[in-house]
Amino acid sequence: MKTTHHDLIILGAGPAGLSAGLYAARARIDHLLIEKGAAGGQILLTDWIDNYPGFPDGLSGFELAEKMEAQARRFGLNTLTANVISINLLQTPKTLTLEDGSEFSCNTLILCTGARARRLGVPGEIEFTGKGVSYCATCDAPFYRDMHVAVVGGGNSAVQEAAHLTKFASRVTLIHRRDALRATKIVQERAFANDRIDFIWNSQVTAIEGEKGVERLRLRDTAGQESTLAVDGIFILIGVLPNNEILPLQLLKAEDGGFIPTDNETCTAVPGVFAAGDIRNKRVRQIVNAAGEGATAVLTAEHYLNNLNS
Ligand code: NAP
């Protein structure tokens, strides 16, 4: 079967991939952006975005994705909707095999496959996502002014975000499945000293219920005791999972549960392979960072390509 070659392949069309696509198209790099679904990535799951610069009135995640894609298309973004099933980084050029058996090769590859929030997997969670169920306090806290919200988790994200939520919500209840937090001690101390945060220990959320939005949680403690908690919203902050299923993790020296380490210029451990956005091993996962990293990755890849050709 014929292999189609491009100087640059971008894998994934979330904000990092779309930004990379914009920069690649404007730089007139022979490129292809491959995405298996609709362009936008995690922002398609975000109801409303108020923290992306340049949009003073905010906009929906869907709208932002559309605008990012349209902007890149204006400069000639080249895309393919397809499912990549394997990647070979051992050979030059690097090759990608699609589900239909076709093969693409490239001199440089930018990985923008993103991440996903770990889900609780309880009834009501999917139904109420964006209607009271959130995975990002930085994004959604302002919607809960003077309301009561629950936070699930005991790590740094959950405990720090619970504190952040108290700037808006009148009451924050942190629900943790054990009797001790995993978060850094200083983060814990601040949370314990915050009189707007209360704690429910040794308990799991078993269901999220309501009519049009979240109204109450069903809980079960480790002794099997069931209870109900009335809340206006629930923030599920129990970790992030990388979308790395098709990546050669050993070669890329993946760390911390499968995220890809890079240097400041987005270079991975494999020459000519770059990573941008939430798949990178990093602490801050915001749309604006992902977009910035997509741009950095293309400019670094362009430099790599120029050196290859000189
Ligand atoms: P994390 O540290 O992995 O913590 C996840 C928490 O969720 C744990 O408390 C875990 O409980 C709980 N959990 C996991 N699965 C669950 C389930 N199915 N039901 C209920 N609870 C569940 O994740 P994170 O807080 O997102 O942090 C990720 C990494 O980023 C960590 O290395 C963290 O230190 C770092 N981070 C750092 C900062 C900072 O330095 N300022 C801020 C945010 C995050 P158990 O404790 O029982 O396992």
Side-chain angles (χ1 to χ4, degrees):
M1 187 174 278
K2 183 175 153 279
T3 299
T4 312
H5 183 80
H6 291 280
D7 280 340
L8 167 66
I9 289 183
I10 302 161
L11 194 55
L18 289 173
S19 168
L22 171 66
Y23 273 72
R26 283 174 56 85
R28 302 272 182 259
I29 297 173
D30 162 34
H31 71 278
L32 179 68
L33 168 58
I34 306 179
E35 163 64 54
K36 67 177 172 195
Q42 290 174 91
I43 59 173
L44 293 177
L45 306 174
T46 311
D47 192 41
W48 195 252
I49 296 167
D50 269 336
N51 59 0
Y52 194 77
F55 297 94
D57 302 322
L59 75 176
S60 71
F62 179 77
E63 246 184 301
L64 182 58
E66 267 192 341
K67 285 184 189 294
M68 284 182 171
E69 187 181 358
Q71 189 176 2
R73 288 222 185 272
R74 184 153 70 90
F75 297 99
L77 174 71
N78 184 27
T79 59
L80 177 72
T81 305
N83 197 12
V84 175
I85 55 164
S86 74
I87 300 177
N88 188 340
L89 301 181
L90 287 171
Q91 62 192 47
T92 307
K94 305 152 208 334
T95 56
L96 292 87
T97 307
L98 307 188
E99 202 167 27
D100 65 6
S102 58
E103 206 173 72
F104 284 79
S105 66
C106 56
N107 296 328
T108 54
L109 175 66
I110 303 180
L111 305 171
C112 303
T113 52
R116 58 194 186 273
R118 181 178 275 134
R119 314 236 168 215
L120 274 176
V122 299
E125 183 175 15
I126 292 173
E127 184 188 343
F128 292 120
T129 294
K131 295 177 192 138
V133 172
S134 171
Y135 299 89
C136 177
T138 309
C139 318
D140 297 335
F143 299 125
Y144 293 91
R145 201 173 286 278
D146 301 324
M147 297 186 198
H148 177 201
V149 296
V151 172
V152 184
N156 274 318
S157 298
V159 182
Q160 277 184 343
E161 299 298 273
H164 173 67
L165 278 159
T166 61
K167 292 181 190 159
F168 302 93
S170 52
R171 186 178 159 210
V172 176
T173 302
L174 191 136
I175 302 164
H176 186 34
R177 63 183 179 185
R178 294 189 292 127
D179 63 355
L181 299 173
R182 182 184 288 281
T184 315
K185 281 283 175 290
I186 180 103
V187 173
Q188 295 193 28
E189 283 163 19
R190 287 192 192 131
F192 291 141
N194 188 329
D195 59 15
R196 285 196 185 193
I197 304 180
D198 52 76
F199 295 83
I200 296 180
W201 302 105
N202 298 311
S203 296
Q204 296 261 37
V205 174
T206 55
I208 301 167
E209 296 178 345
E211 293 303 317
K212 291 194 176 117
V214 172
E215 290 172 14
R216 66 196 162 270
L217 307 177
R218 298 227 173 253
L219 307 178
R220 186 184 304 123
D221 69 17
T222 42
Q225 197 72 34
E226 312 249 353
S227 61
T228 302
L229 180 72
V231 291
D232 300 296
I234 172 172
F235 288 80
I236 300 169
L237 299 166
I238 58 173
V240 177
L241 301 173
N243 296 330
N244 63 7
E245 287 73 11
I246 53 162
L247 306 182
L249 298 181
Q250 229 174 341
L251 214 56
L252 292 162
K253 299 194 186 330
E255 51 191 32
D256 279 356
F259 289 95
I260 308 303
T262 73
D263 65 8
N264 285 341
E265 313 300 329
T266 71
C267 299
T268 69
V270 179
V273 180
F274 309 87
D278 285 7
I279 188 65
R280 279 184 66 224
N281 194 17
K282 57 177 184 172
R283 195 175 66 77
V284 179
R285 291 194 164 83
Q286 295 290 301
I287 306 168
V288 69
N289 300 100
E293 290 163 23
T296 304
V298 170
L299 297 176
T300 313
E302 189 178 26
H303 184 69
Y304 180 93
L305 286 167
N306 288 342
N307 284 344
L308 264 191
N309 299 330
S310 63

